């Protein structure tokens, strides 16, 4: 499998403008914080994120706390953001939308 190409700052800005819940951190990673009514719901969401991560073979930094899950994603082997990061963020947004 060929490594994904790094996105330019303009490409990052364009993709990020249509991405709800996520922010770009220094043109290097995407970050998001999701809030839940309790720890159990936050944990359930984290498990679903983990399953998507394994399926995509693309793993975020995850911080789980009471009622909150913070995610940070980047393509480490490319040293920045690629289309893979935005695809991951869209999949995670799908989890949120399915639970609304």
């Amino acid at each position: 499998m060929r490594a994904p190409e790094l996105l330019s700052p303009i490409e990052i800005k364009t993709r990020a403008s249509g991405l709800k819940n996520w922010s770009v951190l220094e043109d290097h990673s995407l970050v998001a914080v999701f809030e839940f009514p309790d720890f159990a719901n936050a944990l359930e969401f984290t498990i679903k994120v983990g399953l998507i991560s394994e399926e995509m073979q693309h793993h975020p930094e995850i911080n789980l706390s009471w009622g909150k899950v913070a995610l940070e994603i980047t393509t480490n082997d490319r040293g920045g953001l690629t289309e893979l990061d935005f695809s991951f963020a869209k999949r995670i947004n799908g989890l949120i939308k399915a639970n609304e």
Side-chain angles (χ1 to χ4, degrees):
M1 182 166 91
R2 203 174 111 217
E5 295 293 319
L6 276 177
L7 298 173
S8 72
I10 292 171
E11 291 171 317
I12 291 168
K13 186 176 181 178
T14 300
R15 284 172 175 76
S17 69
L19 192 59
K20 185 179 178 187
N21 302 319
W22 295 82
S23 299
V24 177
L25 182 61
E26 300 176 358
D27 285 343
H28 182 267
S29 58
L30 294 174
V31 295
V33 176
F34 300 94
E35 294 187 9
F36 301 91
D38 53 34
F39 186 82
N41 280 283
L43 179 59
E44 181 180 345
F45 174 77
T46 301
I47 291 167
K48 290 176 182 177
V49 168
L51 293 172
I52 289 171
S53 299
E54 282 296 294
E55 178 187 320
M56 294 182 73
Q57 288 300 297
H58 195 51
H59 304 91
E61 295 290 323
I62 302 173
N63 184 339
L64 168 65
S65 59
W66 195 97
K68 191 180 294 185
V69 178
L71 302 175
E72 182 174 344
I73 189 79
T74 190
T75 303
N76 289 313
D77 61 342
R78 300 298 294 158
L81 289 168
T82 67
E83 187 60 44
L84 186 57
D85 301 300
F86 286 91
S87 295
F88 176 84
K90 288 176 187 173
R91 291 278 308 270
I92 300 310
N93 281 354
L95 289 177
I96 296 298
K97 189 169 181 113
N99 289 325
E100 290 180 340

